[in-house]
Amino acid sequence: MKKLFAEFFGTFWLVLGGCGSAVFAAGVPDLGIGLLGVALAFGLTVLTMAYAVGHISGGHFNPAVSIGLLAGGRFNAKELVPYIAAQLLGAVVAAGCLYIILNGADAFSTEGPGAFATNFYDMPGYNGRSYSIGAAFLTEFLLTAFFLIIIMGATDKWANGKFAGLAIGLALTLIHLISIPITNTSVNPARSTSQALFVGGGALQQLWLFWLAPILGGATGGLLYKYLLQVKQEENEIEE
């Protein structure tokens, strides 16, 4: 249960901090944090919770990460469903808190692409470009795959584990810097689901992509690290 609570609170913090920064602070005139600020916010949520509860649950906070670690041989299959349930619950509760706060200022809106920090494709984004379903899928797939490679590499027993949280948090920041203009960045089905539930409509209709692409990308990244990059003990002893 402690593992599941850790995943709940970690995912809650990711949505509250990351999506919260997007809906409250990104577009504030003169003081807005913009794309860079939102990207940093998402990275900081993972970085801080990785050090706070990562030693309890492994610090997944993301169904695609759990599935990717399972594919890479770093996670037990019997824990997968409970982990994903805890992550989804944490994300939805956090989104509910954001919804209540926005309604406190009569500011909740479902209008336009990216409303309430939802993900999207085939709609004009923040730079005026509309990225196709194929472009969105490839973006989410590739970025999640590399996210898993970074996670598995940074937490490898041969790596310097003291800096794993920093590497993972900075990786998520970079991922958002790349893809906020394309899909509003998912790489996390729980984060996408929590926001889409409150917006409904097109956000829910497009939600399938923000499950499928990150899950396939995560599994691919986990397998790539396991079979192409992971150093076996005997190989490490030969190098030494």
Side-chain angles (χ1 to χ4, degrees):
M1 286 303 297
K2 288 182 179 179
K3 290 182 179 181
L4 299 183
F5 278 123
E7 287 298 304
F8 172 90
F9 287 119
T11 316
F12 180 99
W13 186 238
L14 184 148
V15 170
L16 188 73
C19 296
S21 69
V23 299
F24 296 131
V28 177
D30 300 323
L31 297 175
I33 60 175
L35 183 152
L36 177 59
V38 174
L40 281 170
F42 273 100
L44 288 171
T45 61
V46 169
L47 188 155
T48 51
M49 274 295 165
Y51 287 111
V53 301
H55 60 285
I56 301 171
S57 67
H60 300 188
F61 319 141
N62 181 340
V65 169
S66 296
I67 292 170
L69 292 173
L70 176 64
R74 299 275 191 89
F75 189 53
N76 194 325
K78 70 180 182 180
E79 295 185 290
L80 182 62
V81 171
Y83 262 56
I84 292 177
Q87 293 156 1
L88 283 169
L89 184 59
V92 172
V93 173
C97 292
L98 295 177
Y99 175 80
I100 292 169
I101 295 168
L102 277 172
N103 272 330
D106 196 25
F108 179 77
S109 172
T110 61
E111 298 299 320
F116 198 49
T118 49
N119 301 115
F120 58 87
Y121 57 86
D122 276 339
M123 299 181 191
Y126 304 116
N127 57 8
R129 296 173 182 167
S130 179
Y131 290 89
S132 68
I133 183 174
F137 192 98
L138 182 60
T139 299
E140 293 289 328
F141 175 87
L142 288 174
L143 293 179
T144 315
F146 273 91
F147 193 36
L148 261 294
I149 291 172
I150 293 165
I151 290 170
M152 292 191 68
T155 58
D156 196 299
K157 64 180 180 179
W158 304 116
N160 189 336
K162 293 180 180 179
F163 298 102
L166 182 61
I168 294 166
L170 288 174
L172 191 60
T173 298
L174 176 58
I175 284 168
H176 279 78
L177 288 174
I178 296 167
S179 57
I180 285 176
I182 303 172
T183 63
N184 218 19
T185 310
S186 172
V187 300
N188 186 336
R191 164 263 186 274
S192 298
T193 300
S194 64
Q195 306 309 116
L197 286 175
F198 286 88
V199 172
L204 277 177
Q205 292 171 12
Q206 295 188 347
L207 183 60
W208 67 271
L209 185 145
F210 302 106
W211 273 85
L212 184 60
I215 285 174
L216 290 178
T220 300
L223 291 170
L224 286 173
Y225 190 86
K226 179 180 180 179
Y227 291 109
L228 297 182
L229 298 170
Q230 188 163 281
V231 177
K232 296 184 174 65
Q233 184 168 350
E234 56 270 23
E235 293 173 334
N236 192 64
E237 288 172 350
I238 291 171
E239 290 178 3
E240 291 177 349

